[in-house]
Amino acid sequence: GDVAASIVQLSVAPETGQDSYDRDLFASWFDADDNGCDTRCEVLAAERLDTPPGLPNGGWLSAYDGYTTADESELDIDHLVPLGEAWRSGASRWDPERRAAYANDLDAPQTLIAVTAATNRSKSDSDPAVWQPPNTDAWCAYLSDWVTVKLRWGLTADPGEVRALTNMAAKC
């Protein structure tokens, strides 16, 4: 349905700039609204649930693996489309301000999500051709959010990535 139609809207191109990627070219977390809460803090506040399964006093659900925790130190804030993937998909041509905006994007909840450190690190800078959430119940949301972020930021998708997205969409 809608997800498959969105995949078709992606601009397909080979990845570029692999050798020039440096995470430091993207700004680290900052406090955009000067309220004392940086990007990580803002994402955690937005995603905190009052009563996730098994946590009557509140906490977080890591969608990638279905893990719930009341301990925010167990979580990383994941760039759904990783910085390295964004770099290879067009961010290498962005100016520093646009890269900082992407790295700290709080305007679209799909861009940054709280997930367990283990799943975030297993994903690293991989696209869906290489990595999908171990929690298959999260695939449809992950796929939809991946395509949304790519389209929102004008990032390309390589052919293998499009094949993987299309295969995932068949299960949604």
Side-chain angles (χ1 to χ4, degrees), residues 108-139:
Q110 300 89 349
T111 308
L112 299 168
I113 61 169
V115 297
T116 58
T119 56
N120 185 41
R121 292 170 192 163
S122 74
K123 177 183 163 204
S124 187
D125 283 336
S126 300
D127 70 28
V130 177
W131 187 92
Q132 299 91 35
N135 176 13
T136 56
D137 290 342
W139 280 19

Side-chain angles (χ1 to χ4, degrees), residues 134-158:
N135 176 13
T136 56
D137 290 342
W139 280 19
C140 296
Y142 177 76
L143 161 65
S144 176
D145 291 348
W146 183 276
V147 173
T148 297
V149 171
K150 285 270 182 151
L151 291 172
R152 173 175 157 73
W153 286 93
L155 297 169
T156 62
D158 66 76

Side-chain angles (χ1 to χ4, degrees), residues 10-16 85 88-90 93 150 155-162:
L10 291 169
S11 176
V12 180
E15 291 184 342
T16 61
E85 170 65 19
R88 296 185 299 272
S89 301
R93 295 183 295 277
K150 285 270 182 151
L155 297 169
T156 62
D158 66 76
E161 177 184 344
V162 171

Side-chain angles (χ1 to χ4, degrees), residues 16-163:
T16 61
Q18 287 90 328
D19 297 336
S20 61
Y21 172 67
D22 180 348
R23 186 178 180 88
D24 291 338
L25 294 170
F26 289 85
S28 60
W29 303 140
F30 54 74
D31 182 1
D33 58 7
D34 293 320
N35 70 349
C37 188
D38 68 10
T39 305
R40 174 184 167 78
C41 174
E42 297 281 2
V43 173
L44 288 170
E47 293 191 9
R48 189 170 194 290
L49 303 170
D50 291 334
T51 56
L55 298 173
N57 295 321
W60 294 268
L61 170 64
S62 170
Y64 291 170
D65 54 10
Y67 179 76
T68 55
T69 183
D71 182 359
E72 67 184 58
S73 71
E74 292 187 82
L75 302 171
D76 282 353
I77 303 306
D78 179 49
H79 293 89
L80 190 105
V81 174
L83 299 177
E85 170 65 19
W87 182 265
R88 296 185 299 272
S89 301
S92 62
R93 295 183 295 277
W94 295 349
D95 63 30
E97 291 78 23
R98 184 159 172 83
R99 287 193 301 269
Y102 179 79
N104 289 273
D105 184 7
L106 294 172
D107 294 329
Q110 300 89 349
T111 308
L112 299 168
I113 61 169
V115 297
T116 58
T119 56
N120 185 41
R121 292 170 192 163
S122 74
K123 177 183 163 204
S124 187
D125 283 336
S126 300
D127 70 28
V130 177
W131 187 92
Q132 299 91 35
N135 176 13
T136 56
D137 290 342
W139 280 19
C140 296
Y142 177 76
L143 161 65
S144 176
D145 291 348
W146 183 276
V147 173
T148 297
V149 171
K150 285 270 182 151
L151 291 172
R152 173 175 157 73
W153 286 93
L155 297 169
T156 62
D158 66 76
E161 177 184 344
V162 171
R163 276 191 303 279

